[in-house]
Amino acid sequence: MLKNKPQSSAKKLQRIQRNTESHWVGNGFPVRSLFTYPKLGPAISPFLLFDYAGPMDFPPTSQRLGVGEHPHRGFETVTIVYSGEVEHRDSSGGGGKIGPGDVQWMTAASGIVHEEFHGRDFAQRGGLFEMVQLWVNLPAKYKMSPPRYQNILNDQIPVVKLQNGQGTARIIAGEFEEAAGPAHTFSPIHVWDLHLTSEQQIDLPVPEAFNTLLAVLKGTVMINHADTIGAAEVGIFYSAGDHLCISNAQNATVLLLCGEPIDEPIVGSGPFVMNTDAEIRQAKADYQSGKMGHLMS
């Protein structure tokens, strides 16, 4: 069990990743891709991609804002909503609406077709929209598993109060103190949604040899009393070390991502991430032939 106490050696910051350019996914998600696997590969494994959508104010509308039917194979998508609502449905029968604090953990695995839109009620009233979507790789032995969908509501996510009133940690996946996240994963992963409010030093325990990333969405934090990570930036750490040393947190909203690296080839093309070119060609053929299913009208 990971404990909230100082350990022996802090992980060192390897780089700070940022992207000031945004693009639209469909007509509902103004996205900055803060990291992607083609550029960073092994340094971020088992994570593949991190899209930060918003924050953006949307006026009231009767339009369907989002992205329509599209496929995935070979990985999982994790959607965390901070403001607004997202409606999802997929070819496995999964689906639902998630709002602030809720999480959608979709395992595409052998293949799934899905759509994502702003919630109808939210679109009609308008307002601030902010969410993140994380892509998590699957080990080769699980890439052709049956798809599944986990709808994780805010009140199902345990909250840990950090030492000395330094903030809170929502444990979405993995463990911290006595709390275990509700997300079921295929490899050892920790996903913690942190709200840090103190300038005091805090040491967060993370496993030795696991890749660790710290995505700051709002505010700022200082790492090892030396480097500052600001809003819409991701700190990528060397795997050696068993804790993160954080201080000078300025009302920061932070996602801690930590996982055991998957030491396998990564071959991707658009919505498919596999291990070989042949598997990518097969994924495209299977989608085009309807083997990944369709959404019912």
Side-chain angles (χ1 to χ4, degrees), residues 124-138:
Q124 289 177 1
R125 66 176 180 267
L128 183 68
F129 185 86
E130 182 181 12
M131 59 161 262
V132 301
Q133 186 169 95
L134 173 71
W135 288 14
V136 180
N137 202 7
L138 289 171

Side-chain angles (χ1 to χ4, degrees), residues 176-277:
F176 181 50
E177 293 288 3
E178 303 304 320
H184 298 285
T185 68
F186 286 84
S187 62
I189 292 173
H190 300 281
V191 178
W192 304 345
D193 183 19
L194 306 169
H195 184 215
L196 304 178
T197 57
S198 172
E199 294 187 3
Q200 296 182 53
Q201 175 179 327
I202 184 168
D203 294 316
L204 294 176
V206 288
E208 178 78 37
F210 276 34
N211 283 337
T212 303
L213 302 91
L214 205 62
V216 178
L217 305 182
K218 297 178 183 176
T220 60
V221 298
M222 182 170 284
I223 302 300
N224 298 331
H225 302 286
D227 297 292
T228 298
I229 306 175
E233 295 182 343
V234 179
I236 300 174
F237 293 82
Y238 291 102
S239 59
D242 55 17
H243 71 278
L244 296 184
C245 176
I246 301 173
S247 61
N248 291 77
Q250 302 291 326
N251 195 26
T253 299
V254 180
L255 273 175
L256 183 147
L257 310 173
C258 181
E260 184 176 60
I262 299 172
D263 187 19
E264 296 171 350
I266 301 174
V267 179
S269 178
F272 309 123
V273 182
M274 300 299 287
N275 299 107
T276 68
D277 290 326

Side-chain angles (χ1 to χ4, degrees), residues 22 27 33 96 107 125 172 180 199 222 247 286:
S22 63
N27 63 354
S33 297
T107 304
R125 66 176 180 267
I172 297 168
E199 294 187 3
M222 182 170 284
S247 61
D286 287 349

Side-chain angles (χ1 to χ4, degrees), residues 17 33-41 44 47-51:
Q17 184 74 17
S33 297
L34 299 188
F35 64 74
T36 59
Y37 67 91
K39 293 182 178 180
L40 297 169
I44 61 173
F47 308 106
L48 294 167
L49 174 146
F50 188 98
D51 276 349

